[in-house]
Amino acid sequence: MQLHAFIIALVCAVAASGIFPDDFGNHNRRKRALSVPRGIEESPLLPRHVTPVGYHVWLQPIPEKRYFQGRVEVNISCLTPTNTVILNAGDNLSISKADISVIDPADSFGEYRPIKRVSVVEVRRGSPKEWCEVKLSDVLQQGQLYQLTLEFASDLRNGSCQEAMYFDSYSDECSDEEADVNTTDKRGDFTERWFVATDMTRNKARKVFPCFDELSYKAPFDISIGRQERMRSLSNMALRKSEKMLYQSGWVWDNFETTPPMSTFSVNIFIFDPEVIVPLEPRRDLGSTTLHMYAPVDLRDDMQNVGDKILQTVKKIETYLQMKYPLPDLQIVVAPGIWSSHEGFGLSVFSDDVKSYSWPLSLLMYMGDQWLVHLTTPHSWSEASFGNSLSYYVSYIGYTAALADTRAIQSLNWGIIYSVLARSSTPHISSIGTTVLRMLNYTLGENIVRSAFDSFLHDRLYETFASDDMVLAIEDQAQRHADLPPGVTVSKIVSSWMKVQQFPVVTVRRNYHTRTAYVEQHAFTRNKSDGSSEMRGDLWYVPLVLLRSDQREGRLLDQVLWMKKEEKITLENMPPSDSFILVDPDIIGLFVVNYDPANWRLILQHLKTKGSSTRLSAITRAKLLTDAGLLADAGDLSYDVPFDLSLMLSDENDVEPFYAFNGFFQNLRNKLRYTRIRTLLKEYIWKLFSPLYEQYGGFNEELMHNEMTPQGIVMTIMCHYGAEDCTEALAAKYKPGTYTQEDCIVLQWGEHYIWEETLVKILGHNENNETDLDALKYFASCTQQEERIDKLLDAVVLNNSLCDEDILDVINKIGDPYLLFNFMSYNWSEIKEKYEHKPDIMEKLVSEITSKFVTSDGYDLVSDFYAARQRDTPSLLPVLRNTMQAIKEHTKWTDRSVSQIESWIHQYLSEY
């Protein structure tokens, strides 16, 4: 998904997790982003007595001993007299030595000559705990340069990508003779090879070396990495020289070229085994910059192809920003064992998960960071979200051009991006910022936004920026070259969108007699029970771009009308009553659009007309489906509209409408999972998609869970609803004990003996003679038929030695409240007898079963059960009263929605 990289990451996550979000098997790799860390804003900023002007950092990780050691020389300039230097140092660091000297400012960094030493009185932990206070005997003088030297050490942890520096290993098939006992661990035919990686983002550089760990402090770095002779290291810049350590045999120091000024989070190092990860031929297609790529031996061909995409992306960004890549070398590493990408200025390390759908994209999606996060940097974490927006927008421009001929381009479509964003409960402010940039690009013109990037970036080279800097740059260009209406400014537009993690709904009601339209806006709210969003009275600067079916030219991009934070406006000269209008075609802004019923009917009529869909782009058709589904869920539109729109999929060839439908349908499926019409949804899907499923050729394992093609979406949905050829193919490969969505399909729809044999094995007839609780909970979530649920509950609730809390966990995973309730009612005497001496467990069990109801008929069942318990189990009455109150709240949505959906599906099944 992606006009954004944030969104890109979102789509990749959605694609990786599969179509059904409540299923098992989501094992996504994580992606780094320069976002605001939890608690960072509450941390006090360092005192501004001194500022860093250069670092030399020595780091020596020693994985065999599980620690690393190092030294940092930081040149500081005194801004105000002080006898205490305060910098950041993680509480994991043990500081063993500290020195400080006055240095000669005339020499270059690295050649500074100490003029006079200043005595260090003590080094202590400050408050907060990640402050390191170096107390001095003398007062530092304003304007003087000093060099502070600190030696330190810390534990080096294994395999946690949450650590700032960590080591991990990966298996490499080789003979025992090939294994080096100093760097590997022999395990049969495999050798454990290790690597060391860093992730300095989110204020974690302080956990690797003492430093001024705030975004606003930018300084050049000299970096030296200690490694064993057979290993290899990389850092932000090219290797200057290697030299043997004087007192450690078999170890060398790799000394790298000096970086330009950068923040501490931009530092990156990687140490690896060159027998596993090998360099590819350097690419010099970028003129002054050389692309260096490193990859496992078996991925060299893949990386050569990806190298072309990297070069295309960089060149496109260079052209757009009118600025060359800022460093002499761009280094890209793909490594086994990496679970979270680590990106620094000039060096990025990625996972080798080439089978992932998003793998080529993951190497490109943050390329704009090199210019708009590292070259120029947000001044503080509070500015980081808008900094992300700038980088995402520029990255998108680069990689969409590079991936134009690949399957990944399908995930970069704004119809898909919008579907993901609009369905997010709280869209990230970075993603909102990127949509605002796109909106300004459409409404002001591409040249204005592009020129603003140019002036902004050249003004902030190797410096930091505030959000307003880019806004003012666009404002300046707009005042010169655009024709914004009175009262509308770029600052006002951006401010209205960036203030909250929400977006508006725009409602258009036409007066067909006077040919006018009344347009209203308010905050879009999915759950109106508390009314919190509408009470705030949020209003936006909303661009109204119209598409009219009575005009051949379609949308009128040269006639942008702005709602200036107005709640209501009136549009004149609307089309005649037999023509529809569309607002926000091609998703120019991030807002939902609703219409009066007559206009919705005109749109539906247009879409049903053979061949008419060519007038509306695939993105626009996708937006119609997404908006209609969201509005119906919120109670602002009848479900008839999104279901009517879904019928256009029978003649649809583009992925965007299918993707939008999938988002709508899976959300609805989850809402209706505890209602009587869940089985009716299956009949609807089979009626709608069976012809397409056959047309696409039935089951194709390669398309399973591929949400970026119509075939993949249709096939995955049909498989989850029991398509016979799919179930048979998956059953042939089924092995009890795994936890995939494919296994769940087999347990739901496969032969009964497979289900029964799996249950028997899980309940203890296995090599351990113990119940596999995790497998049992997974198994329960995949069991649906009444006969099977009864048998499962009989085995678990009445005849098993599971502990009580585990029984409750299993019940929680069963989705059908009616079958659960029927089992409890039919077996109440036995349940009561078993748990009468455990009243707390009985209350939890009854609550777990009855609280799943969300409809009035479910309320009636619980009400009858409540009346019956007044006689035999009065202790349950408080629990049941609470449950009934909760059900009543749910029925406000379900009673309205279920009756609409049920009526529409019954009519659809009878007519088509």
Side-chain angles (χ1 to χ4, degrees):
M1 39 174 272
Q2 294 26 53
L3 185 188
H4 284 107
F6 166 73
I7 276 313
I8 290 264
L10 251 176
V11 164
C12 295
V14 171
S17 63
I19 283 187
F20 289 83
D22 57 317
D23 285 334
F24 286 71
N26 181 0
H27 305 295
N28 301 336
R29 295 182 184 268
R30 287 175 285 214
K31 182 71 187 69
R32 195 269 324 158
L34 180 64
S35 55
V36 181
R38 186 182 301 277
I40 286 297
E41 289 302 323
E42 290 73 26
S43 300
L45 297 177
L46 292 170
R48 263 43 184 176
H49 301 311
V50 299
T51 188
V53 296
Y55 293 85
H56 192 161
V57 181
W58 288 263
L59 291 170
Q60 184 186 11
I62 308 176
E64 295 88 344
K65 297 183 178 180
R66 303 300 196 267
Y67 84 98
F68 68 88
Q69 60 189 11
R71 183 170 87 250
V72 60
E73 293 177 356
V74 53
N75 292 347
I76 56 178
S77 175
C78 182
L79 303 179
T80 59
T82 181
N83 68 344
T84 304
V85 177
I86 301 177
L87 68 168
N88 299 114
D91 54 5
N92 62 301
L93 293 181
S94 174
I95 297 175
S96 57
K97 184 178 179 182
D99 289 305
I100 188 167
S101 300
V102 180
I103 56 176
D104 186 346
D107 297 325
S108 61
F109 183 80
E111 302 292 335
Y112 285 103
R113 293 174 299 177
I115 298 174
K116 181 181 71 172
R117 292 188 64 183
V118 180
S119 297
V120 176
V121 176
E122 67 172 327
V123 178
R124 67 186 182 191
R125 288 290 172 182
S127 178
K129 63 181 180 179
E130 292 196 336
W131 278 16
C132 174
E133 299 180 359
V134 182
K135 189 80 171 177
L136 308 172
S137 61
D138 299 328
V139 174
L140 303 185
Q141 298 303 307
Q142 183 175 350
Q144 180 65 57
L145 288 180
Y146 298 85
Q147 186 171 91
L148 173 64
T149 302
L150 297 169
E151 295 182 2
F152 54 90
S154 175
D155 293 338
L156 181 64
R157 298 188 180 180
N158 183 4
S160 171
C161 58
Q162 298 302 310
E163 296 296 322
M165 178 186 287
Y166 67 97
F167 82 99
D168 211 333
S169 60
Y170 43 87
S171 295
D172 176 47
E173 189 171 6
C174 65
S175 65
D176 286 350
E177 289 76 12
E178 291 176 306
D180 186 325
V181 295
N182 292 319
T183 59
T184 57
D185 173 27
K186 291 183 268 187
R187 298 185 182 183
D189 294 332
F190 291 86
T191 298
E192 291 295 311
R193 309 275 186 166
W194 59 261
F195 66 85
V196 174
T198 58
D199 178 9
M200 308 285 190
T201 59
R202 302 176 181 86
N203 285 7
K204 290 192 290 188
R206 65 189 66 178
K207 296 181 179 295
V208 179
F209 59 95
C211 57
F212 295 83
D213 196 16
E214 295 174 11
L215 299 183
S216 59
Y217 288 116
K218 302 191 77 169
F221 281 80
D222 279 348
I223 296 173
S224 298
I225 301 175
R227 61 168 174 85
Q228 294 177 349
E229 287 182 341
R230 71 178 307 276
M231 303 296 283
R232 182 168 179 179
S233 71
L234 298 172
S235 189
N236 302 76
M237 303 294 287
L239 181 67
R240 184 171 66 245
K241 65 175 181 179
S242 296
E243 52 190 5
K244 292 186 177 181
M245 292 188 186
L246 295 179
Y247 304 109
Q248 281 187 274
S249 176
W251 285 77
V252 300
W253 284 111
D254 284 341
N255 302 297
F256 295 87
E257 298 288 352
T258 305
T259 74
M262 64 184 193
S263 301
T264 50
F265 80 90
S266 295
V267 174
N268 201 8
I269 74 168
F270 186 64
I271 303 173
F272 61 97
D273 189 329
E275 291 183 0
V276 177
I277 299 174
V278 298
L280 280 68
E281 189 69 25
R283 305 282 296 269
R284 295 180 172 84
D285 311 49
L286 293 172
S288 59
T289 297
T290 302
L291 172 63
H292 301 270
M293 296 184 294
Y294 303 82
V297 176
D298 60 327
L299 296 183
R300 282 179 296 187
D301 291 341
D302 295 278
M303 278 302 293
Q304 288 288 9
N305 295 330
V306 172
D308 294 336
K309 306 303 179 186
I310 294 172
L311 291 170
Q312 292 173 37
T313 300
V314 172
K315 288 177 180 178
K316 185 68 176 180
I317 293 175
E318 287 180 335
T319 301
Y320 183 83
L321 295 176
Q322 299 182 38
M323 178 177 290
K324 286 291 187 179
Y325 179 78
L327 297 179
D329 298 280
L330 172 59
Q331 303 168 94
I332 304 292
V333 181
V334 169
I338 292 288
W339 279 83
S340 176
S341 67
H342 308 311
E343 291 154 283
F345 199 9
L347 171 64
S348 298
V349 183
F350 297 93
S351 160
D352 68 339
D353 188 15
V354 297
K355 293 183 179 180
S356 167
Y357 180 85
S358 61
W359 186 73
L361 179 60
S362 66
L363 273 63
L364 309 176
M365 57 195 284
Y366 286 93
M367 198 61 70
D369 283 10
Q370 298 296 313
W371 286 266
L372 292 158
V373 169
H374 299 296
L375 177 61
T376 182
T377 303
H379 183 73
S380 66
W381 288 107
S382 62
E383 310 286 348
S385 293
F386 195 72
N388 279 344
S389 301
L390 303 178
S391 174
Y392 296 166
Y393 184 78
V394 169
S395 297
Y396 175 84
I397 290 169
Y399 58 65
T400 48
L403 298 175
D405 60 344
T406 70
R407 64 174 185 166
I409 194 64
Q410 295 167 313
S411 67
L412 309 182
N413 187 288
W414 255 96
I416 291 174
I417 295 171
Y418 176 77
S419 179
V420 175
L421 264 183
R423 290 197 166 277
S424 171
S425 57
T426 53
H428 195 280
I429 202 71
S430 296
S431 60
I432 292 176
T434 307
T435 66
V436 173
L437 287 170
R438 183 177 188 270
M439 182 174 70
L440 293 174
N441 185 75
Y442 270 75
T443 56
L444 301 180
E446 180 181 354
N447 288 336
I448 287 177
V449 176
R450 186 172 182 171
S451 297
F453 267 107
D454 181 20
S455 63
F456 161 79
L457 193 55
H458 282 84
D459 286 346
R460 311 307 301 171
L461 288 179
Y462 302 112
E463 297 181 8
T464 59
F465 66 87
S467 299
D468 287 348
D469 293 335
M470 182 61 188
V471 175
L472 292 174
I474 302 175
E475 189 88 77
D476 179 62
Q477 294 295 322
Q479 289 176 357
R480 295 186 197 180
H481 307 292
D483 186 22
L484 284 171
V488 178
T489 67
V490 175
S491 298
K492 290 179 179 179
I493 294 170
V494 174
S495 175
S496 72
W497 286 90
M498 296 294 289
K499 62 182 178 180
V500 291
Q501 289 179 260
Q502 246 187 328
F503 50 87
V505 55
V506 171
T507 302
V508 182
R509 295 184 176 88
R510 296 172 59 185
N511 185 320
Y512 294 88
H513 178 68
T514 61
R515 294 182 65 170
T516 55
Y518 304 100
V519 185
E520 301 179 11
Q521 66 155 307
H522 59 80
F524 178 64
T525 310
R526 290 170 180 78
N527 180 10
K528 294 183 171 57
S529 60
D530 58 6
S532 57
S533 295
E534 285 137 325
M535 286 193 300
R536 271 206 317 265
D538 294 320
L539 295 172
W540 289 257
Y541 278 79
V542 179
L544 301 180
V545 177
L546 303 183
L547 185 150
R548 307 165 46 135
S549 61
D550 65 326
Q551 294 185 350
R552 181 170 297 178
E553 62 269 25
R555 72 186 58 79
L556 307 174
L557 286 176
D558 59 335
Q559 298 181 25
V560 180
L561 303 172
W562 285 93
M563 295 189 77
K564 307 170 189 177
K565 292 194 73 172
E566 302 161 289
E567 188 175 349
K568 300 177 182 179
I569 66 171
T570 301
L571 303 180
E572 306 287 346
N573 301 317
M574 290 294 100
S577 59
D578 60 349
S579 300
F580 67 83
I581 62 172
L582 281 176
V583 173
D584 199 32
D586 293 344
I587 315 176
I588 294 165
L590 177 60
F591 55 92
V592 174
V593 184
N594 198 0
Y595 304 96
D596 59 84
N599 198 68
W600 274 116
R601 285 194 295 272
L602 290 169
I603 293 171
L604 289 164
Q605 181 181 346
H606 175 81
L607 291 171
K608 290 177 181 178
T609 304
K610 238 6 179 182
S612 65
S613 61
T614 56
R615 292 262 342 259
L616 301 181
S617 69
I619 295 176
T620 302
R621 301 196 301 274
K623 178 174 171 54
L624 286 168
L625 250 172
T626 297
D627 286 359
L630 288 170
L631 291 163
D633 289 344
D636 295 331
L637 185 68
S638 168
Y639 272 103
D640 290 359
V641 176
F643 274 99
D644 281 340
L645 285 170
S646 73
L647 300 183
M648 73 180 181
L649 296 176
S650 299
D651 298 313
E652 184 62 69
N653 297 313
D654 295 297
V655 68
E656 297 90 340
F658 280 97
Y659 194 95
F661 168 80
N662 190 46
F664 159 69
F665 180 73
Q666 300 315 325
N667 177 68
L668 190 66
R669 170 184 177 268
N670 289 333
K671 287 189 172 205
L672 299 177
R673 64 185 305 185
Y674 297 147
T675 69
R676 66 179 182 272
I677 66 168
R678 54 183 294 181
T679 55
L680 199 58
L681 286 178
K682 177 185 176 183
E683 296 182 53
Y684 156 68
I685 284 295
W686 272 76
K687 188 80 172 179
L688 180 65
F689 278 168
S690 287
L692 285 174
Y693 185 65
E694 294 177 10
Q695 177 184 326
Y696 294 150
F699 179 71
N700 181 340
E701 188 173 4
E702 293 183 1
L703 292 175
M704 193 68 179
H705 307 302
N706 180 350
E707 291 184 300
M708 297 306 156
T709 63
Q711 296 94 324
I713 292 173
V714 169
M715 191 199 71
T716 302
I717 292 176
M718 289 294 289
C719 281
H720 278 276
Y721 277 109
E724 187 175 347
D725 61 337
C726 174
T727 303
E728 290 176 355
L730 296 178
K733 300 174 60 177
Y734 174 74
K735 293 181 180 179
T738 54
Y739 300 84
T740 67
Q741 295 181 32
E742 288 82 356
D743 296 329
C744 203
I745 291 170
V746 174
L747 292 173
Q748 286 175 352
W749 308 108
E751 296 288 345
H752 183 74
Y753 78 88
I754 298 177
W755 181 90
E756 193 156 24
E757 288 177 359
T758 303
L759 176 61
V760 169
K761 184 173 183 179
I762 289 173
L763 290 177
H765 297 275
N766 51 49
E767 55 272 17
N768 300 320
N769 293 320
E770 295 179 355
T771 298
D772 186 337
L773 183 60
D774 288 337
L776 183 59
K777 289 189 286 187
Y778 158 75
F779 181 85
S781 71
C782 299
T783 298
Q784 292 185 357
Q785 293 94 328
E786 182 174 5
E787 176 190 356
R788 296 180 183 183
I789 287 179
D790 283 345
K791 191 164 188 175
L792 172 62
L793 288 171
D794 185 72
V796 171
V797 178
L798 300 178
N799 299 304
N800 196 274
S801 58
L802 286 178
C803 73
D804 298 322
E805 293 296 335
D806 290 341
I807 292 174
L808 294 174
D809 286 343
V810 173
I811 290 174
N812 176 260
K813 295 297 181 181
I814 296 175
D816 194 318
Y818 296 93
L819 296 182
L820 279 170
F821 185 83
N822 289 343
F823 175 85
M824 180 179 69
S825 299
Y826 185 79
N827 297 282
W828 179 247
S829 296
E830 292 178 70
I831 293 173
K832 181 173 175 294
E833 180 180 351
K834 182 173 182 178
Y835 293 105
E836 62 183 351
H837 300 300
K838 299 178 180 179
D840 57 328
I841 298 299
M842 181 182 287
E843 290 177 7
K844 290 179 180 179
L845 187 146
V846 170
S847 176
E848 190 71 59
I849 292 175
T850 57
S851 63
K852 290 179 181 289
F853 286 113
V854 293
T855 58
S856 292
D857 56 353
Y859 179 90
D860 293 340
L861 289 174
V862 177
S863 179
D864 291 343
F865 186 77
Y866 173 85
R869 301 292 74 78
Q870 293 185 32
R871 297 187 296 272
D872 63 3
T873 325
S875 61
L876 290 176
L877 299 184
V879 173
L880 290 169
R881 279 197 295 269
N882 291 337
T883 299
M884 291 162 64
Q885 181 60 39
I887 296 172
K888 206 129 186 107
E889 287 297 315
H890 284 297
T891 60
K892 295 176 182 178
W893 180 86
T894 52
D895 284 353
R896 171 187 62 84
S897 302
V898 167
S899 61
Q900 287 180 9
I901 295 167
E902 188 174 35
S903 175
W904 187 94
I905 293 179
H906 280 310
Q907 184 175 352
Y908 168 64
L909 294 176
S910 65
E911 290 182 356
Y912 289 86

